[in-house]
Amino acid sequence: MHNKNRSSFQGLYRIDTRDYPEEALREALLNCCVHRDYAFSASTLVSIFEDRMEFVSVGGLVNGIELEDVLLGLSVCRNPKLAAIFYRLVVRSEVEQLLGISQASAIRLLKYMSDNGLIKRVGRGKSTRYIK
């Protein structure tokens, strides 16, 4: 609804573009999940304006990092185990082990992420995998 599709024509070819690249929106949502501070129960904020979208994940800067560091391009992962899941194929048992959570919690997390387009579920049963 907020990422409209536009078409233009070059000769006989139709070129479809969106207001925002889907890959950029997906990356922003993934960053919100990976970099948020889960000690807080507040929601991630997604604000939509006429000329931009803003994503704000709770938690502020990681301890020991200053605004100047960020402006220089320094990136520090708050949740390295969760980030590791996103960088490779994920199976439920890996999620359980890496995050130290129960099977039920892993299932809920993966379902939530799949339902919200953050990851894609591939296969069924024991062959189920998740891809970024």
Side-chain angles (χ1 to χ4, degrees):
M1 187 164 102
H2 295 287
N3 193 18
K4 295 185 177 102
N5 198 24
R6 306 217 188 310
S7 296
S8 61
F9 294 90
Q10 290 182 348
L12 296 175
Y13 298 99
R14 183 177 81 186
I15 310 296
D16 292 328
T17 56
R18 293 195 167 268
D19 291 338
Y20 307 99
E22 289 184 18
E23 294 82 8
L25 294 177
R26 187 170 174 269
E27 183 70 20
L29 290 170
L30 284 169
N31 283 338
C32 286
C33 291
V34 172
H35 295 292
R36 76 169 279 145
D37 186 343
Y38 286 96
F40 296 100
S41 62
S43 299
T44 297
L45 304 174
V46 178
S47 301
I48 301 171
F49 301 93
E50 285 188 29
D51 61 338
R52 70 189 185 281
M53 286 188 190
E54 292 181 0
F55 298 81
V56 179
S57 188
V58 297
L61 294 174
V62 176
N63 288 337
I65 302 299
E66 302 293 327
L67 180 57
E68 294 79 25
D69 300 324
V70 175
L71 295 174
L72 290 172
L74 180 66
S75 178
V76 177
C77 186
R78 182 186 309 273
N79 302 300
K81 291 179 180 179
L82 183 57
I85 291 170
F86 285 101
Y87 291 118
R88 57 192 164 115
L89 292 177
V90 178
V91 296
R92 180 197 35 79
S93 59
E94 284 185 272
V95 173
E96 292 172 32
Q97 183 180 6
L98 286 169
L99 298 180
I101 59 177
S102 68
Q103 178 178 344
S105 294
I107 290 170
R108 274 194 308 275
L109 175 63
L110 290 167
K111 181 176 180 355
Y112 172 82
M113 293 171 66
S114 179
D115 290 348
N116 288 285
L118 300 172
I119 56 175
K120 183 177 178 183
R121 181 180 174 177
V122 178
R124 292 187 158 287
K126 291 188 178 211
S127 66
T128 301
R129 300 286 181 267
Y130 298 88
I131 58 175
K132 183 176 171 184

